[in-house]
Amino acid sequence: YFNRSYLLFGCAYQQSEGRELTKEEKQRLRKEKKQQKKNKEKKDDNASQESEKEKKSVSSSSSAPQPPTQPATQKAPSAVPAPAPAVVPASETPAPVEKPAKSKAELKAERRARQEAERASKQGKKGETGQQAATGKPKAPPSELQPVVKRLPEHIQVDNPDVLKKLAKKLERQQIPLRLDYGYKVSLFSHLHQYSRKAPLTQQLSIPSSVIHPAIVRLGLQYSQGIVAGSNARSVALLHAFKQVIRDYTTPPNEELSRDLVNKLKPYISFLNQCRPLSASMGNAIKYIKKEISNIPSQCKEEEAKGKLLNCIECYINEKIILAAKAIAKYAIEKISDGDVILVYGCSSLVNHILCEAFEKNRKFRVIVVDSRPRLEGREALRRLVQRGISCTYVLISAVSYILPEVSKVFLGAHALLANGYVMSRVGTSQIALVAKAFNVPVLVCCETYKFCERVQTDSFVSNELDDPDDLIVTRKGKTQLEDWQQVPLLGLLNLVYDVTPPDFVDLVITDLGMIPCTSVPVVLRVKNVDL
Amino acid sequence: MPGSDKETDLTERIEAFLSDLKRGGSGTGPLRGSAETARETTALLRRITAQARWSSAGDLMEIIRKEGRRMTAAQPSETTVGNMIRRVLKIIREEYARSRGSSEETDQQESLHKLLTSGGLSEENFRQHFAALKANVIEAINELLTELEGTTDNIAMQALEHIHSNEVIMTIGRSRTVEAFLKDAARKRKFHVIVAECAPFCQGHEMATSLSKAGIETTVITDAAIFAVMSRVNKVIIGTQTVLANGGLRAVNGTHTLALAAKHHSTPLIVCAPMFKLSPQVRREYTINNSNNHFVSSGEILSKVNVHCPVFDYVPPELITLFISNIGGHAPSYIYRLMSELYHPEDHEL
């Protein structure tokens, strides 16, 4: 069994050399190491030493993708015994075939080299090319393909009690209250959180909160109550709050600004995540800020550093959101002709901006606003458009197939664009795209590039957000049918927030880089990453 | 005089029925199921047959046609009224033909030979007087009434043939037929039902509470989530307001979207519709614009905006997999044949 398993492992590895190591493979490796220790009694000390270092190296490599403020001490011992384990298995295991032993050594050397590469890149990208040469991998060097060991985000693992325990411990450490789930969750979505709007996280905080900056507390409350909604609005609000945090920040003595400020931001981000799960655009903004902070050279004075950071944030908002909106509007206006009947769904700030711009440029068109329960965001869009003087029609989403024969184009906004070309947007968008496709009406999605996301997803179940189920309750003709839904044991209410639209329903995506098809999203992501 | 008393009584009842119909459609009165409407219409027609003054079949048909036109004009969207009138007219024709002694089949078949030899319009003018005609017609109408009373049960009996255990079934809005269908299957099988609430009236809520009280695990979703959730659905079972002659449906709004989503995921779409919903009408649109107050509240915008609130959707027959009616299951392509058995072609236009 032992020999065969090695063979299998070795062969599997040989076939898929370019693949990053999964957790299962590492565990298997560890198990086999343990078995090796048991079977070969000679060199007991050596074997135990080696398996210990193995475990440490495995654990440290799995923690490599975490933020750069890993204490340097953890990495040192793993770097030291690098040559030793490579030699030991070759001598300890004469029985197994030559091929698997070499692949294991190769594995470890690679892992070591990858850790070095990542640490070096996080400290300012010096000597990256040196590390690349040390890997000895025949395929493309790791920095280009970035084989990062991905950690699943916590908010889609609610059904895993270990993950929940870890989260609770982390929040306790950061002194942030844990938000509890509410109500009966539909079984298909038991892996997601479901919170109630009536129990905001701030009720569990002490006032004044010593751990969390008041601007962040306010922001968290605005998110959880739905006062600030829409991905652009949330990102801009987040960046403004962070600017306030940076202004009020002072470096404690014996600490570096680049490391300490990032540590300060972590509990804030956990808090905001508890109030409402972060959107893809917010995630990208946070990544950018953290990168900028850690790139501050250590000899920079505090005032200068803060000024630089504030400037960076301003630039980000200006470039990625405001100027991008102008560029997208310029491209989109080319697509609107006189006499058009345009259908929009919900309230997308970008689409509203485009329509207002087009109206300023004297294009003659009319708009049909489609709305859906329970958020009824279309009313806001209706208000904005009617104020400008655009002639509008208003329908609910169930009437979409009634109104579509009149429509010439559909403009949709997006919450994020996924790397496999799927469009993640407000729930109902995929439905509109489906019906539009059935009636042969072109569907155009407008999205800024900072919302592009490296995740992939094929359905709306695996990663989504569940809103307060009580929102579905409504009174019609004096009767509220679902008032006591909690008492009825078999009744569940589902209030989804997002859904994914397959790329074959979307005809064109208008971004600030130009008009691209849905499938070109990973190309744009790659171009962006190389630039960074 | 007893005759005129009966007549005034009859006219009173007809007027009461008409005003009921008018009220039911505007959404203010109690919403009546179509089975109820069908039964009441048939009962009223039986009363007309019994109490009105007529001497030959032709007279009776004229009276019924006249009243029928008034009834359909009172509430054009309620097609069961028209359907029942056509059924009764067909019954009268049949009974007349039977009394005359000619067999039914030769009358029905429009063969080329018959067309050439008949030379013009049919000779039937229904002027002959038969003493037993009244009794026969009333008996036949009673049979029709019994059939109407059993339709929901007949459909529900077929439930176990179509639902297996651990299925996820989706439905939209509220249909009493589908409710009975699912409750009957729930007695023996365990499955999960997802109900789309069907805004703005949100009748799906009522359906969901009723199903969950019967022991079925139910989930309520918004109309916007229909496509998002469809990938996990095994079957879509819906009711309808009318079945059109080409096999298409006139159903509550949102059904067309549901049908398209089901087609995209290759999920079978099953329509539970009793035979009295079959209508020889063609597609027509019904919009009520007076329910604006349901979902647009701010007054200043309301004046500048057009609001549409269609009540029904047309679903083409290509999207439908199966019809389940009280006489069994049929494909959409067979509906035209059933139509020809239920109604006489001359009655298609009242």
Side-chain angles (χ1 to χ4, degrees):
Chain A
Y1 157 78
F2 180 67
N3 297 344
R4 229 184 310 138
S5 68
Y6 253 110
L7 260 175
L8 282 172
F9 180 79
C11 290
Y13 179 74
Q14 291 294 348
Q15 282 164 15
S16 55
E17 266 187 352
R19 199 162 50 100
E20 66 259 29
L21 291 176
T22 61
K23 260 206 162 56
E24 289 83 67
E25 286 187 34
K26 286 205 199 83
Q27 281 182 353
R28 217 186 311 168
L29 196 62
R30 253 181 279 160
K31 252 189 247 168
E32 270 149 10
K33 283 268 79 143
K34 277 196 198 149
Q35 280 206 325
Q36 201 181 5
K37 190 173 69 170
K38 274 191 224 147
N39 283 349
K40 316 286 175 179
E41 238 71 68
K42 43 188 169 158
K43 292 182 189 167
D44 224 1
D45 288 4
N46 224 0
S48 57
Q49 218 182 32
E50 190 251 31
S51 62
E52 227 179 40
K53 284 170 196 156
E54 185 64 76
K55 285 193 204 126
K56 233 196 258 177
S57 66
V58 166
S59 64
S60 61
S61 70
S62 70
S63 61
Q66 274 177 6
T69 57
Q70 276 286 330
T73 48
Q74 201 177 350
K75 291 223 178 132
S78 64
V80 163
V87 175
V88 167
S91 62
E92 255 195 40
T93 63
V97 188
E98 180 61 23
K99 232 195 320 183
K102 210 159 66 167
S103 67
K104 264 198 341 229
E106 221 175 67
L107 256 177
K108 270 173 251 156
E110 250 162 58
R111 251 207 316 272
R112 218 69 74 238
R114 218 185 300 129
Q115 283 171 39
E116 298 289 306
E118 276 171 340
R119 195 162 28 123
S121 69
K122 276 165 198 151
Q123 282 179 3
K125 301 173 202 163
K126 303 170 216 145
E128 212 179 7
T129 45
Q131 260 65 26
Q132 281 178 21
T135 53
K137 243 184 171 179
K139 290 260 176 97
S143 67
E144 266 200 35
L145 283 181
Q146 290 185 356
V148 186
V149 176
K150 285 205 183 129
R151 217 181 25 167
L152 277 179
E154 171 278 325
H155 70 272
I156 58 169
Q157 290 191 76
V158 177
D159 53 348
N160 188 349
D162 299 327
V163 171
L164 288 178
K165 256 190 269 182
K166 252 202 267 177
L167 173 72
K169 269 195 226 146
K170 176 174 122 188
L171 290 180
E172 221 180 287
R173 227 182 335 120
Q174 296 173 336
Q175 294 175 294
I176 294 171
L178 175 68
R179 200 168 183 195
L180 293 170
D181 281 359
Y182 165 78
Y184 170 72
K185 240 189 276 180
V186 178
S187 55
L188 286 167
F189 290 94
S190 58
H191 60 288
L192 298 174
H193 283 297
Q194 182 172 278
Y195 300 129
S196 164
R197 197 161 297 130
K198 293 200 203 78
L201 200 57
T202 45
Q203 280 177 354
Q204 301 171 33
L205 280 181
S206 59
I207 305 248
S209 162
S210 50
V211 175
I212 306 180
H213 193 281
I216 300 282
V217 176
R218 188 176 69 167
L219 188 64
L221 196 59
Q222 284 173 333
Y223 282 166
S224 67
Q225 299 301 103
I227 300 171
V228 174
S231 53
N232 275 344
R234 283 165 72 188
S235 306
V236 170
L238 177 75
L239 290 169
H240 281 304
F242 275 0
K243 271 167 67 177
Q244 188 61 37
V245 167
I246 290 174
R247 268 187 226 118
D248 295 338
Y249 170 76
T250 48
T251 326
N254 302 333
E255 289 280 356
E256 251 188 64
L257 183 135
S258 54
R259 290 242 180 87
D260 186 58
L261 186 53
V262 177
N263 278 345
K264 273 260 159 34
L265 288 180
K266 272 202 247 168
Y268 299 167
I269 295 168
S270 303
F271 173 73
L272 290 176
N273 206 5
Q274 286 286 295
C275 287
R276 193 179 158 186
L278 298 180
S279 64
S281 51
M282 286 162 75
N284 287 342
I286 290 174
K287 257 190 246 168
Y288 174 77
I289 291 183
K290 283 191 178 166
K291 191 177 70 78
E292 287 299 313
I293 293 177
S294 49
N295 280 349
I296 300 261
S298 40
Q299 58 268 30
C300 201
K301 282 209 318 235
E302 189 180 311
E303 284 311 313
E304 205 186 305
K306 285 187 356 182
K308 208 160 126 201
L309 284 175
L310 292 174
N311 203 20
C312 278
I313 295 183
E314 264 311 313
C315 278
Y316 187 83
I317 297 180
N318 205 22
E319 248 179 55
K320 305 281 181 179
I321 302 178
I322 300 177
L323 286 180
K326 287 210 179 86
I328 294 178
K330 195 165 70 79
Y331 287 125
I333 289 174
E334 289 168 31
K335 291 289 174 191
I336 300 179
S337 24
D338 284 343
D340 261 350
V341 179
I342 298 179
L343 186 122
V344 299
Y345 176 60
C347 185
S348 164
S349 51
L350 188 55
V351 173
N352 289 342
H353 177 84
I354 291 174
L355 292 177
C356 295
E357 287 286 307
F359 193 69
E360 309 263 303
K361 299 234 163 50
N362 292 324
R363 291 273 201 278
K364 307 270 174 296
F365 58 90
R366 66 183 178 93
V367 175
I368 299 180
V369 178
V370 178
D371 202 8
S372 77
R373 282 195 71 236
R375 283 169 172 247
L376 292 173
E377 293 171 324
R379 296 189 194 184
E380 177 60 33
L382 195 66
R383 198 178 57 84
R384 290 187 200 171
L385 294 174
V386 167
Q387 263 177 4
R388 291 303 196 97
I390 304 176
S391 60
C392 297
T393 310
Y394 178 85
V395 287
L396 285 182
I397 194 171
S398 36
V400 128
S401 59
Y402 168 77
I403 204 102
L404 250 163
E406 299 177 13
V407 174
S408 59
K409 290 189 182 74
V410 178
F411 272 81
L412 299 172
H415 172 259
L417 241 60
L418 304 175
N420 58 342
Y422 279 64
V423 178
M424 183 176 208
S425 183
R426 182 69 76 222
V427 67
T429 310
S430 55
Q431 214 165 293
I432 297 203
L434 167 81
V435 186
K437 187 90 185 176
F439 282 85
N440 271 323
V441 174
V443 174
L444 293 91
V445 171
C446 309
C447 183
E448 301 95 334
T449 45
Y450 88 107
K451 290 184 190 162
F452 284 19
C453 177
E454 280 178 11
R455 265 192 316 123
V456 289
Q457 201 175 320
T458 51
D459 60 22
S460 320
F461 291 85
V462 289
S463 175
N464 208 326
E465 196 184 320
L466 294 179
D467 210 356
D468 192 350
D470 289 334
D471 286 345
L472 290 183
I473 302 178
V474 74
T475 307
R476 290 276 182 256
K477 297 196 182 151
K479 287 205 289 187
T480 314
Q481 289 289 338
L482 294 178
E483 207 156 22
D484 310 311
W485 70 277
Q486 306 250 34
Q487 268 77 38
V488 183
L490 294 164
L491 186 58
L493 302 185
L494 185 61
N495 191 358
L496 282 180
V497 180
Y498 300 118
D499 73 5
V500 282
T501 310
D504 23 334
F505 292 161
V506 177
D507 293 305
L508 190 65
V509 177
I510 307 180
T511 69
D512 39 327
L513 293 178
M515 301 198 253
I516 58 173
C518 240
T519 44
S520 298
V521 169
V523 176
V524 171
L525 278 172
R526 197 182 167 84
V527 164
K528 256 191 354 161
N529 285 341
V530 167
D531 281 343
L532 285 177
Chain B
M1 286 186 295
S4 63
D5 267 347
K6 263 206 260 177
E7 280 204 10
T8 47
D9 178 50
L10 184 61
T11 21
E12 260 173 43
R13 282 184 193 270
I14 296 178
E15 294 305 320
F17 185 63
L18 285 174
S19 57
D20 241 356
L21 278 178
K22 279 200 194 111
R23 244 188 314 127
S26 67
T28 48
L31 220 58
R32 17 164 68 217
S34 26
E36 228 180 279
T37 318
R39 248 177 276 136
E40 283 188 23
T41 315
T42 319
L44 190 61
L45 290 174
R46 182 178 58 182
R47 196 176 281 275
I48 293 179
T49 316
Q51 294 178 349
R53 238 184 271 160
W54 51 278
S55 55
S56 69
D59 288 341
L60 179 59
M61 280 163 63
E62 248 336 288
I63 296 174
I64 290 188
R65 262 202 212 104
K66 192 178 83 162
E67 295 302 331
R69 272 190 285 257
R70 283 179 67 202
M71 287 192 230
T72 45
Q75 186 55 256
S77 65
E78 192 61 69
T79 44
T80 42
V81 173
N83 295 348
M84 288 297 103
I85 291 169
R86 291 183 188 96
R87 287 289 284 273
V88 169
L89 287 173
K90 174 116 199 236
I91 286 175
I92 298 173
R93 280 176 205 267
E94 275 173 12
E95 290 302 323
Y96 182 79
R98 198 176 299 142
S99 303
R100 255 191 29 167
S102 52
S103 66
E104 291 169 34
E105 280 96 66
T106 50
D107 267 342
Q108 274 184 12
Q109 276 170 11
E110 298 253 318
S111 69
L112 200 56
H113 177 82
K114 220 177 131 217
L115 277 174
L116 290 173
T117 53
S118 68
L121 290 171
S122 73
E123 303 140 18
E124 297 290 336
N125 53 3
F126 298 97
R127 287 287 155 225
Q128 273 186 287
H129 175 79
F130 292 109
L133 189 62
K134 191 177 213 170
N136 286 345
V137 169
I138 291 183
E139 200 186 308
I141 295 182
N142 281 335
E143 273 175 29
L144 179 59
L145 270 173
T146 345
E147 186 195 314
L148 286 179
E149 266 154 41
T151 46
T152 315
D153 290 330
N154 280 335
I155 293 178
M157 277 194 323
Q158 304 173 49
L160 282 175
E161 291 173 28
H162 297 282
I163 300 179
H164 60 77
S165 52
N166 274 333
E167 270 207 275
V168 178
I169 295 181
M170 184 181 273
T171 182
I172 186 168
R174 174 156 197 227
S175 162
R176 285 165 192 74
T177 318
V178 175
E179 210 180 308
F181 191 80
L182 293 175
K183 281 184 182 168
D184 194 89
R187 287 189 292 126
K188 300 276 169 61
R189 306 244 160 99
K190 273 226 140 338
F191 52 91
H192 187 149
V193 175
I194 299 180
V195 181
E197 64 179 6
C198 193
F201 301 111
C202 294
Q203 289 187 328
H205 293 187
E206 231 179 291
M207 176 89 157
T209 33
S210 156
L211 287 177
S212 55
K213 292 208 174 96
I216 305 177
E217 198 178 328
T218 321
T219 305
V220 178
I221 63 167
T222 51
D223 299 331
I226 287 178
F227 184 75
V229 172
M230 183 60 79
S231 52
R232 294 292 170 277
V233 173
N234 300 117
K235 283 196 178 79
V236 180
I237 302 183
I238 56 175
T240 174
Q241 202 260 352
T242 312
V243 179
L244 302 171
N246 63 346
L249 300 180
R250 185 189 301 137
V252 75
N253 75 330
T255 313
H256 190 206
T257 311
L258 182 66
L260 283 171
K263 185 83 182 185
H264 181 263
H265 287 100
S266 298
T267 310
L269 178 68
I270 299 178
V271 180
C272 292
M275 275 291 113
F276 64 79
K277 287 193 177 166
L278 221 64
S279 168
Q281 279 181 348
V282 295
R283 169 187 181 178
R284 210 169 292 166
E285 286 168 2
Y286 289 104
T287 311
I288 46 174
N289 271 327
N290 55 358
S291 63
N292 294 350
N293 50 358
H294 277 207
F295 53 90
V296 182
S297 48
S298 65
E300 64 214 43
I301 306 184
L302 191 58
S303 51
K304 302 184 193 137
V305 169
N306 289 332
V307 178
H308 287 289
C309 179
V311 184
F312 297 119
D313 255 355
Y314 168 69
V315 182
E318 302 81 63
L319 302 175
I320 302 169
T321 319
L322 184 69
F323 279 95
I324 296 182
S325 72
N326 45 319
I327 52 181
H330 319 285
S333 45
Y334 186 60
I335 296 292
Y336 82 95
R337 190 77 195 147
L338 291 173
M339 189 89 59
S340 66
E341 285 170 25
L342 286 179
Y343 313 124
H344 195 272
E346 280 176 21
D347 294 330
H348 286 187
E349 285 297 320
L350 274 182

